[in-house]
Amino acid sequence: MLFNPKLTAKIPYICGYKNIDIGGFIMAFCKFCGKELGEDGKCTCAEFGDYEKNAGILNNSIEKTTEKPIKRGSIFKYIIIAIIIILAVITTFSIISLINSYKKPIDTLAKGIRKADTELLIESMYTESTAAELRLQAKENGLTWKEYIKKNDKAIESAMDGLGVKRVKADVLAKEKLSGSNLENVKKFYQDNYNIDVKKAYRVEVEFSLKINGEKTTRTGWLCVAKLKGEGWKYCPQCSSDTFDFLDSAVRFE
């Protein structure tokens, strides 16, 4: 039988065979049973069938395990999703920070007392223009700003030692938005003393956790915080309904 060389070239990948050259004619025979292969390069014997079946399974498993390349579009899609998630997280934290921003002056106030830090206390209470006036006042008294801060830091530390206060922490328990005459009083105070407008104000219930003479205790009262135009939230001791000795001693700047 004459055999097509193109066909025989493909046979090794799909079956077992052996070529026999007879007078220039290439004959293909099954290596399992010795029968001449058909024109499709296959044999009808059981051994050849098993061989072909196993070869097919092997080829399919190779195709299935071959990893498909990641398309460029998919990479961009994942990048966009990651960016959206990051922006969502940042937005959420920003919203939470804005909602709780009225607590900042109280936290800064407590931190300033705890660390005997005049600049933190000024930040919690005063506007930028008032801080500038304090700088000018220090200069008129022959002190640099650094010397003035150091002097007041020592005064705060001495006052806390005299009261036996070693630790101060503040937690805001509740808030009430001021309105009517209560809000007008706060607006009038800031307009008369600082020439600045009040956007809104809260009456906040604050619990101070203290360590006094080695014993832990708490004190609770209502303080006032106001949101000033261009300045943010500030603690207003003059508008607060309750007072605390350690607060009064700490904010008494010389």
Side-chain angles (χ1 to χ4, degrees), residues 28 31 35 58 71 73 83 89 97 106 197 201 223 232 243:
K31 72 174 185 178
K35 291 181 181 179
L58 179 61
K71 295 181 180 179
I83 291 173
V89 172
S97 297
I106 302 300
D197 294 331
L223 304 180
T243 59

Side-chain angles (χ1 to χ4, degrees), residues 147-164:
E147 289 171 340
Y148 176 81
I149 292 298
K150 187 176 181 179
K151 178 182 177 182
N152 276 280
D153 287 351
K154 288 183 177 180
I156 296 169
E157 187 176 359
S158 177
M160 294 302 104
D161 287 343
L163 295 171

Side-chain angles (χ1 to χ4, degrees), residues 118-211:
T118 303
E119 289 185 304
L120 285 176
L121 295 175
I122 291 173
E123 179 187 340
S124 70
M125 297 170 49
Y126 295 139
T127 63
E128 290 291 336
S129 60
T130 305
E133 291 177 6
L134 288 174
R135 289 176 181 271
L136 181 61
Q137 180 181 326
K139 187 176 181 180
E140 289 176 349
N141 291 331
L143 298 173
T144 64
W145 183 244
K146 187 176 181 179
E147 289 171 340
Y148 176 81
I149 292 298
K150 187 176 181 179
K151 178 182 177 182
N152 276 280
D153 287 351
K154 288 183 177 180
I156 296 169
E157 187 176 359
S158 177
M160 294 302 104
D161 287 343
L163 295 171
V165 176
K166 294 298 181 182
R167 191 188 69 180
V168 179
K169 182 182 177 183
D171 292 305
V172 177
L173 304 179
K175 69 174 180 178
E176 294 178 2
K177 187 175 182 179
L178 296 183
S179 59
S181 60
N182 291 326
L183 179 59
E184 290 304 316
N185 289 335
V186 176
K187 287 183 175 181
K188 186 176 186 306
F189 170 79
Y190 277 101
Q191 190 60 238
D192 292 346
N193 292 277
Y194 301 100
N195 192 29
I196 194 169
D197 294 331
V198 174
K199 299 180 71 174
K200 57 183 174 180
Y202 289 146
R203 181 173 175 260
V204 294
E205 184 181 18
V206 181
E207 180 183 76
F208 288 100
S209 299
L210 308 168
K211 191 173 184 179

